[in-house]
Amino acid sequence: NYNITNTVTAYFSIVKPVRNAPEGLKGVAPTTDGGSDGKITGTTTDMEYSIDTEFTSPKPCGDGETAGLAEGTYYVRYKATPTTAASNYVAVHVRLNTVTVVDANTNVTKHKSGTSVTVTVTIPTGKSFIKWVYEGVTIPTEDVTKQEITFTMPEKDVKLTVLFEDIIYNITVTNGTSSAPTAKYQEEVTITANPAPEGKVFDKWTCETAGVTIEFENATSSTTTFEMPASNIKIQAHYRDIEAAPSIE
């Protein structure tokens, strides 16, 4: 026989096992930018999802897929049961992929994978188009020099950068000289009039190219500057009789 002289107190807790995070889930982007027909495929009814990792407002998943989703990152886990705790979560991205076009400007658009995307280059003034440089998608060699290209949107972001080169324009000066025979758009050019003929003085500069206007720094100075327009140009120095009044006050 045993005599128990001391009381022993034992404490224990039952810990529910935690399941692994769901596997095999895939985010499907909405059809259009701002749409709400995105979905997560591979879900089951014993899963739930949330827009935050704390699952402050979890929503039940559908059987096979969970539809009606806007773009975003969703966190999916198995629900808690009487015998198991909620599982670890997995992040699922429901998003359109972007196409970034860098030409005269930078433009970003969104597209669903598998859709047809057409891009047309915007050529800056004074430049000529050379070719496209692409990342995230393959453009056929015969298309990289086309100003408009079409491709199927992949399941990743795409960046298209346009290579340009400066157009070199000709400068023709009558009765004078220029600092260079050619120039690119907006390059500064200096022009100098030839010495005036006997009995005359320099009067002014004019642009003789139809449809082109040049803003001379000082049109009545025998030496002046201007910014090159996006055109071949002809410039002329004019003279007047010494006694005559200037044509430009």
Side-chain angles (χ1 to χ4, degrees):
N1 295 327
Y2 296 95
N3 293 321
I4 299 175
T5 59
N6 295 311
T7 301
V8 177
T9 303
Y11 298 92
F12 65 92
S13 61
I14 299 175
V15 178
K16 294 182 179 181
V18 178
R19 298 178 65 178
N20 293 329
E23 296 180 351
L25 305 183
K26 181 180 179 180
V28 179
T31 305
T32 58
D33 188 12
S36 58
D37 58 345
K39 59 186 177 181
I40 300 172
T41 61
T43 58
T44 62
T45 54
D46 59 348
M47 297 178 189
E48 60 186 2
Y49 72 93
S50 176
I51 58 174
D52 64 87
T53 58
E54 298 300 320
F55 283 79
T56 51
S57 299
K59 296 182 179 180
C61 291
D63 187 18
E65 66 177 36
T66 300
L69 303 178
E71 277 195 89
T73 298
Y74 297 88
Y75 304 94
V76 184
R77 68 182 181 184
Y78 288 107
K79 301 175 185 176
T81 70
T83 58
T84 60
S87 75
N88 296 320
Y89 63 80
V90 62
V92 182
H93 303 291
V94 176
R95 61 183 291 265
L96 295 164
N97 293 108
T98 60
V99 174
T100 301
V101 178
V102 182
D103 48 18
N105 307 292
T106 297
N107 186 44
V108 180
T109 55
K110 293 182 177 182
H111 304 272
K112 187 174 183 178
S113 61
T115 59
S116 179
V117 180
T118 298
V119 178
T120 304
V121 65
T122 300
I123 302 176
T125 302
K127 304 283 187 181
S128 62
F129 170 73
I130 300 176
K131 66 177 183 178
W132 296 95
V133 177
Y134 49 86
E135 299 174 43
V137 69
T138 299
I139 306 298
T141 303
E142 62 272 18
D143 288 349
V144 295
T145 56
K146 295 179 180 179
Q147 294 187 18
E148 182 177 277
I149 56 174
T150 299
F151 59 90
T152 299
M153 189 67 193
E155 292 186 351
K156 55 185 174 181
D157 294 337
V158 172
K159 183 177 182 181
L160 301 169
T161 303
V162 182
L163 294 185
F164 298 107
E165 65 180 356
D166 292 316
I167 299 173
I168 304 301
Y169 299 102
N170 295 320
I171 304 169
T172 302
V173 181
T174 301
N175 297 330
T177 59
S178 62
S179 55
T182 61
K184 59 187 179 182
Y185 175 61
Q186 293 184 324
E187 187 174 0
E188 184 175 273
V189 179
T190 300
I191 49 176
T192 302
N194 294 335
E198 185 177 351
K200 299 203 179 268
V201 294
F202 176 79
D203 186 29
K204 65 179 179 179
W205 292 101
T206 60
C207 177
E208 301 298 311
T209 304
V212 177
T213 301
I214 292 179
E215 295 292 335
F216 297 102
E217 180 68 22
N218 185 347
T220 60
S221 174
S222 60
T223 297
T224 190
T225 61
F226 65 91
E227 281 193 359
M228 190 68 186
S231 172
N232 296 324
I233 56 169
K234 294 181 179 181
I235 297 172
Q236 184 170 343
H238 298 270
Y239 305 93
R240 59 179 171 81
D241 293 333
I242 294 176
E243 297 80 8
S247 60
I248 299 176
E249 296 294 340

